[in-house]
Amino acid sequence: MAKVPKAIDLSKISKRISELNITPKVELEKLTAALKRYNPQGVHSIENIPQDFKASLQSFKRDVGRFHGARANLLWFQRNAVNSACSDKFGYMTSAGTRASSKLPFDNTSIALLEALGNMMGMPGRDNAAGDAQLPSGFTYFGQFVDHDITLDVSSSIDVETDAITINNMRSPSLDLDSLYGLGPALNPFLYEFPTGAIPSTAIKFKLGTNTAGLSGGPSTNGGGFGGMQIQTDFDLPRVTGSNTAVIGDPRNDENLFVSQFHMAMLKFHNAVIDFLIIDNFSGDLFVEAKKLVTQHYQWALVHDFLKRICGQVAVNNALLSVNAAIGSPFSMPVEFSVAAYRFGHSLIRPNYWNNHRETNLSLMQAFEFIRNPNLPVHSEKVVDFNAFFETGITVPIFNRARKIDSALTNGLANLPGFSGIMASLAIRNLRRGLALGLPSGQATALANGIVPLTIAQLKSGLPTDESNLLSSQGGLLLNKTPLWYYILREAAVLEGGQKLGPLGAKIVAETFIRMLKRNESSYLNVAGGFTPSLPSNVAGDFTVADLIIFSGANQP
């Protein structure tokens, strides 16, 4: 039976072409005939997609450009990355029984409680009470950069119950810097600057961006103060002319000024290692060796600097000794880590920062604003002085410390730019995602890990009256089945004064990272004969994130 062509109103087609400013490349008659024949099958209706997916569609627009936490149809991606039996997935570290007996019910009561709790966590002034931690605030954004290196969930929804094992992880959970190197210079040549002249052919560096000319900014000379700053020219990511879209391995690393500038520092770090090898007259493939050195020093700094500060040396040592993971062993990114424990970093975020000698009180909202059009490429005067974020040895008038780890988030996270509704509140989004994924309670997770759970008195210690009353409402539902993310924040605040994670949070975070590294054949933990950092550092045989910044040159004018 012959198909009946669709009825086409030529006047409506012409009007639509005019209104949308579309210029067809074929005659209108041919276009109309094709439209009559076109019969779409299996249409994915925009009207029926979950609310967090709808909100994400707005965040992808050029003038918003906010990719962190955004959701997208899996059909946007290559099929082998989604449907292959070898594709990375999320999963759980706790047993099905533990989760079933302790998770909050997925119903309107739980949703209402969590949204009320999320609103309280981000109330104005809440985070001021706890104050600053000793942790340099640069680790907030180093931690974000690391997160973008190991996890990317674009498809789960907060509207429906979801089994984590069905969710694709679109990043390789190996700490291999795929968010930096992309698919490498052969497949992603647009990321790279290829050598010319007498420079060895494998001395492949990253492209760097240029700054919008203006006033002086960025780092100053040591002791030089305001007058020691210069007009910056190469302290930005490479960008597409016109749209200013960052040309990098993961678009999330351009979502705020600080993580964007840290990604830029990582580009410079690789380039500095290439120069290091050229000076050494290295005879092999310079790019391969540089990538190995960059990745392994980054991994070392993550374990021996970042994790030591966040989890404590004891937790790191225990993880190194207790985690058994053969090279190439199966691994699913546990959502107890990715959706709960590792999201401790959200509580570290400050409401404002000393950015450089000119920008002395940069608000969190400005950190988003200055990485969006029309403020791109990054203006010279907005360039970050990393000496105020990491302990580089160069003094600054004000050194930024992270906020303490606790259940109070800076108010700016309650109204994220580029999102609307519940998607605009980071705390609500975190709590709702944990509910949708059926995360176990904090208490049950602690018991499953051999840790004594917090008491009710400890959970409520120091909380505002309204938040304490909310936890006790509905028969104490949130006190008896405390959301894992919230529990880990409370544990850190009560047991460690907010300076580092408590025993459960530290165990989950440290063990997950060590497991990723042990199963990665190329990680520094699997170097034959052991690995000792070789790049220049403040302490020989060690390598910190501050050493990385210094060697990259990103802390110099």
Side-chain angles (χ1 to χ4, degrees):
M1 182 177 176
K3 293 182 180 178
V4 178
K6 290 186 298 184
I8 295 291
D9 187 325
L10 188 57
S11 63
K12 288 183 178 180
I13 293 296
S14 299
K15 182 180 179 183
R16 186 167 178 79
I17 288 172
S18 175
E19 290 176 344
L20 297 177
N21 195 29
I22 296 172
T23 305
K25 301 302 186 292
V26 298
E27 295 87 348
L28 187 57
E29 292 75 12
K30 288 185 178 180
L31 180 66
T32 304
L35 289 171
K36 288 180 179 179
R37 294 191 301 269
Y38 174 57
N39 185 27
Q41 303 291 323
V43 176
H44 293 262
S45 172
I46 295 295
E47 300 303 320
N48 296 330
I49 65 175
Q51 59 178 321
D52 46 347
F53 281 60
K54 288 182 181 178
S56 295
L57 293 175
Q58 299 301 313
S59 71
F60 293 133
K61 292 185 175 181
R62 189 175 72 184
D63 57 343
V64 177
R66 181 168 174 81
F67 297 91
H68 189 82
R71 292 295 180 265
N73 192 319
L74 282 176
L75 294 178
W76 288 16
F77 299 86
Q78 290 179 310
R79 185 167 294 275
N80 66 339
V82 176
N83 295 336
S84 168
C86 297
S87 60
D88 288 307
K89 300 280 188 178
F90 287 86
Y92 299 95
M93 61 171 51
T94 49
S95 68
T98 296
R99 300 195 302 275
S101 63
S102 68
K103 68 180 181 180
L104 286 169
F106 191 84
D107 58 24
N108 289 334
T109 297
S110 294
I111 290 173
L113 284 172
L114 294 180
E115 291 188 359
L117 179 61
N119 281 326
M120 291 178 182
M121 292 174 72
M123 281 185 175
R126 275 287 314 275
D127 70 318
N128 293 331
D132 292 347
Q134 289 300 308
L135 183 73
S137 63
F139 286 99
T140 306
Y141 301 97
F142 174 79
Q144 185 179 23
F145 178 89
V146 171
D147 176 49
H148 297 169
D149 184 33
I150 56 176
T151 68
L152 176 55
D153 166 19
V154 298
S155 61
S156 71
S157 170
I158 62 175
D159 287 346
V160 295
E161 288 187 273
T162 305
D163 189 332
I165 67 173
T166 67
I167 303 171
N168 290 84
N169 182 7
M170 307 303 286
R171 276 276 164 256
S172 61
S174 304
L175 293 161
D176 58 0
L177 288 175
D178 63 336
S179 60
L180 184 72
Y181 287 98
L183 297 176
L187 295 180
N188 288 163
F190 47 83
L191 297 176
Y192 296 94
E193 194 73 54
F194 292 83
T196 58
I199 301 297
S201 60
T202 60
I204 302 168
K205 293 184 175 182
F206 280 110
K207 289 181 178 178
L208 300 176
T210 57
N211 297 103
T212 298
L215 305 173
S216 60
S220 172
T221 54
N222 197 1
F226 188 94
M229 293 188 300
Q230 298 179 7
I231 295 176
Q232 304 298 336
T233 59
D234 66 347
F235 270 66
D236 192 18
L237 303 175
R239 298 183 181 278
V240 176
T241 302
S243 68
N244 286 315
T245 301
V247 185
I248 54 176
D250 191 316
R252 295 174 296 172
N253 284 348
D254 194 37
E255 75 155 15
N256 65 65
L257 181 64
F258 306 122
V259 74
S260 178
Q261 292 269 283
F262 186 83
H263 190 107
M264 179 275 304
M266 290 296 293
L267 301 179
K268 290 194 168 194
F269 179 44
H270 168 89
N271 292 354
V273 174
I274 287 285
D275 288 340
F276 173 82
L277 293 172
I278 292 175
I279 292 169
D280 186 58
N281 200 28
F282 180 77
S283 60
D285 189 313
L286 290 160
F287 178 82
V288 170
E289 184 67 10
K291 184 173 182 286
K292 182 178 73 174
L293 284 173
V294 166
T295 304
Q296 291 178 343
H297 281 75
Y298 155 76
Q299 293 168 348
W300 174 281
L302 184 146
V303 172
H304 296 277
D305 191 10
F306 179 63
L307 289 186
K308 183 175 73 172
R309 295 171 186 265
I310 293 301
C311 302
Q313 190 65 64
V314 171
V316 174
N317 290 344
N318 288 342
L320 286 166
L321 289 171
S322 65
V323 172
N324 293 311
I327 291 173
S329 55
F331 177 80
S332 296
M333 180 62 69
V335 287
E336 293 90 342
F337 167 86
S338 64
V339 178
Y342 197 62
R343 297 197 181 201
F344 77 88
H346 294 158
S347 70
L348 301 178
I349 298 172
R350 298 181 55 81
N352 46 55
Y353 294 85
W354 190 95
N355 190 51
N356 60 40
H357 286 273
R358 186 182 300 279
E359 297 283 347
T360 59
N361 191 30
L362 187 77
S363 73
L364 180 61
M365 289 303 100
Q366 287 176 311
F368 288 107
E369 175 187 340
F370 293 159
I371 208 71
R372 301 285 183 275
N373 285 325
N375 298 307
L376 291 173
V378 170
H379 290 216
S380 169
E381 61 269 24
K382 310 302 182 187
V383 167
V384 172
D385 183 349
F386 278 118
N387 299 302
F389 291 77
F390 294 101
E391 294 156 326
T392 63
I394 294 179
T395 58
V396 291
I398 298 176
F399 187 80
N400 298 302
R401 301 283 178 185
R403 288 300 204 196
K404 289 181 178 179
I405 305 173
D406 57 21
S407 55
L409 273 60
T410 187
N411 180 245
L413 299 177
N415 190 26
L416 292 170
F419 289 107
S420 59
I422 63 169
M423 288 298 288
S425 169
L426 190 58
I428 292 177
R429 191 197 303 176
N430 287 348
L431 292 166
R432 286 285 305 272
R433 197 161 304 286
L435 176 68
L437 291 170
L439 285 183
S441 71
Q443 295 90 339
T445 308
L447 287 171
N449 282 274
I451 296 170
V452 177
L454 296 177
T455 65
I456 288 177
Q458 287 175 315
L459 276 170
K460 299 175 74 171
S461 175
L463 290 178
T465 301
D466 56 352
E467 190 169 330
S468 177
N469 290 340
L470 179 70
L471 295 180
S472 298
S473 66
Q474 296 294 330
L477 182 60
L478 296 183
L479 285 176
N480 295 311
K481 295 185 174 184
T482 307
L484 183 55
W485 174 58
Y486 182 80
Y487 179 96
I488 285 169
L489 297 180
R490 296 299 304 145
E491 181 192 57
V494 172
L495 299 184
E496 300 294 346
Q499 296 292 343
K500 62 177 183 172
L501 289 169
L504 178 59
K507 188 174 192 292
I508 293 173
V509 170
E511 290 186 359
T512 302
F513 275 115
I514 298 304
R515 186 171 300 280
M516 283 188 275
L517 287 171
K518 284 193 173 184
R519 61 183 294 274
N520 175 4
E521 182 180 15
S522 300
S523 88
Y524 87 91
L525 288 178
N526 289 317
V527 172
F531 175 83
T532 300
S534 56
L535 293 177
S537 60
N538 186 48
V539 176
D542 195 12
F543 196 79
T544 66
V545 182
D547 290 324
L548 185 157
I549 291 291
I550 293 168
F551 186 61
S552 76
N555 72 317
Q556 297 291 334

